[in-house]
Amino acid sequence: MSRSRLIGFFALQKNNTEVVIHVLIVMKALLLLGCPEVPVQTGLALYIGNTLKTQGFEVICAGTPSAVNLMRVADPKKAYIESYMNIDKCIDQIAEGIFDVDLTFGFIHKDSGLQYLATIAALSRSTPIAVVFGREAEPLSKEVGESLDGVYVIWAKAIHNPLPLKKKLDKIGEWAALERDQG
Amino acid sequence: MSRSRLIGFFALQKNNTEVVIHVLIVMKALLLLGCPEVPVQTGLALYIGNTLKTQGFEVICAGTPSAVNLMRVADPKKAYIESYMNIDKCIDQIAEGIFDVDLTFGFIHKDSGLQYLATIAALSRSTPIAVVFGREAEPLSKEVGESLDGVYVIWAKAIHNPLPLKKKLDKIGEWAALERDQG
């Protein structure tokens, strides 16, 4: 099952009667990964990728070269994530309007992670979701909430143990409910 | 295809003729994980798990609670690793002779990792293989080579980027060739 947005619009036929045309667009989720200094990052990204894929999203992972390399090594059969992009190329393409997504997950354990999500949030129509972890998770999560409009923040002081964050993620259920732009 | 060891032995039939009985035993590989402080550990363990599984091994991962939790979160569909054990329980079971494997991969980025592999190597009939990474990889790899008889050492100073170690692992090809006990 693919998670899709249904867009209905009217069209005028030759005989001047109207018909409703429905277009289905598969919803896309973007995982935004900065440098993988904190051990839980790769595991959480694979976990969220799997949940989104199960819910019918097309999942794209954009990251720094080492973040992407680590994801590819950890998921050699592409069981969880199928598409990868360089993070700078991803930002360029969203800025140029040739690529966009419905949900953007920023993985944040330091300021650069917040900057990446803030950049995408300013350019994209997607809902920003901040997954904040690491030693500075608490102050960082507040900074994220204060600096990004409409952001959904999930945080835990997870460094090696992903379970506190996994529990919070599991409570969300249907990610599509967080989408801000229903077409 | 399962990677198996073929054991042949003679048995005496009632009419005093001999028959050869062949027993196939699926080869087992153990991944031994200490605390996941270095980001590449989980990704490399999933990568090696996948390679071994593809080569027909049954793969078991034994680790500290946070190492096992991180592996389970990173591989939610068990696409790469199917069985997990607590590392202390694993050592106990090998010591009691109720469990053993053919290859043991110790993931080593500090002394405790070396201690785990040395303990298993002393108790088990398996070939010890040390996968050494992190900032101290070079001196640690020497220490491993000097302190463990018959150990096969693969090392790289990998912290965030798994590619140097992945390249070395890929060169090995068939892991079964490293097995020390052919039955």
Side-chain angles (χ1 to χ4, degrees), chain A residues 54-114:
Chain A
T54 309
Q55 291 182 13
F57 283 86
E58 183 186 332
V59 185
I60 302 114
C61 176
T64 59
S66 48
V68 168
N69 285 340
L70 196 45
M71 291 289 285
R72 284 183 190 273
V73 165
D75 184 23
K77 289 196 294 185
K78 295 192 171 183
Y80 303 114
I81 312 277
E82 280 161 33
S83 308
Y84 290 95
M85 293 175 90
N86 175 279
I87 200 163
D88 296 320
K89 199 170 171 181
C90 172
I91 292 170
D92 286 349
Q93 289 195 1
I94 294 178
E96 289 166 23
I98 55 176
F99 172 69
D100 208 350
V101 295
D102 301 282
L103 299 178
T104 299
F105 291 77
F107 288 76
I108 300 175
H109 60 88
K110 59 179 183 178
D111 268 336
S112 60
L114 169 52

Side-chain angles (χ1 to χ4, degrees), chain B residues 12-155:
Chain B
L12 214 56
Q13 287 187 306
K14 273 187 183 168
N15 60 3
N16 270 359
T17 58
E18 284 177 340
V19 290
V20 182
I21 295 173
H22 287 141
V23 178
L24 283 174
I25 300 171
V26 175
M27 284 174 67
K28 288 179 184 169
L30 180 66
L31 310 185
L32 219 54
L33 302 183
C35 270
E37 283 138 17
V38 181
V40 294
Q41 174 169 293
T42 303
L44 284 170
L46 292 169
Y47 185 77
I48 292 174
N50 182 56
T51 307
L52 289 163
K53 201 174 161 185
T54 308
Q55 291 182 15
F57 283 86
E58 184 185 330
V59 185
I60 302 114
C61 176
T64 58
S66 47
V68 167
N69 285 339
L70 197 43
M71 292 288 286
R72 284 183 190 274
V73 165
D75 184 23
K77 287 196 295 184
K78 295 193 171 184
Y80 304 115
I81 312 277
E82 279 161 33
S83 306
Y84 290 94
M85 293 176 90
N86 175 279
I87 201 161
D88 296 318
K89 200 170 172 183
C90 172
I91 291 170
D92 287 349
Q93 290 196 0
I94 294 178
E96 289 167 21
I98 55 176
F99 172 68
D100 208 351
V101 294
D102 301 280
L103 300 178
T104 299
F105 291 77
F107 288 76
I108 300 175
H109 61 88
K110 58 179 184 178
D111 269 336
S112 60
L114 169 53
Q115 296 314 319
Y116 282 129
L117 185 59
T119 305
I120 299 282
L123 299 168
S124 161
R125 63 170 170 76
S126 63
T127 307
I129 298 158
V131 181
V132 189
F133 51 96
R135 282 180 218 287
E136 301 302 316
E138 191 166 3
L140 255 180
S141 68
K142 284 180 188 157
E143 204 183 326
V144 172
E146 285 160 12
S147 56
L148 278 181
D149 273 350
V151 69
Y152 188 93
V153 183
I154 308 142
W155 74 274

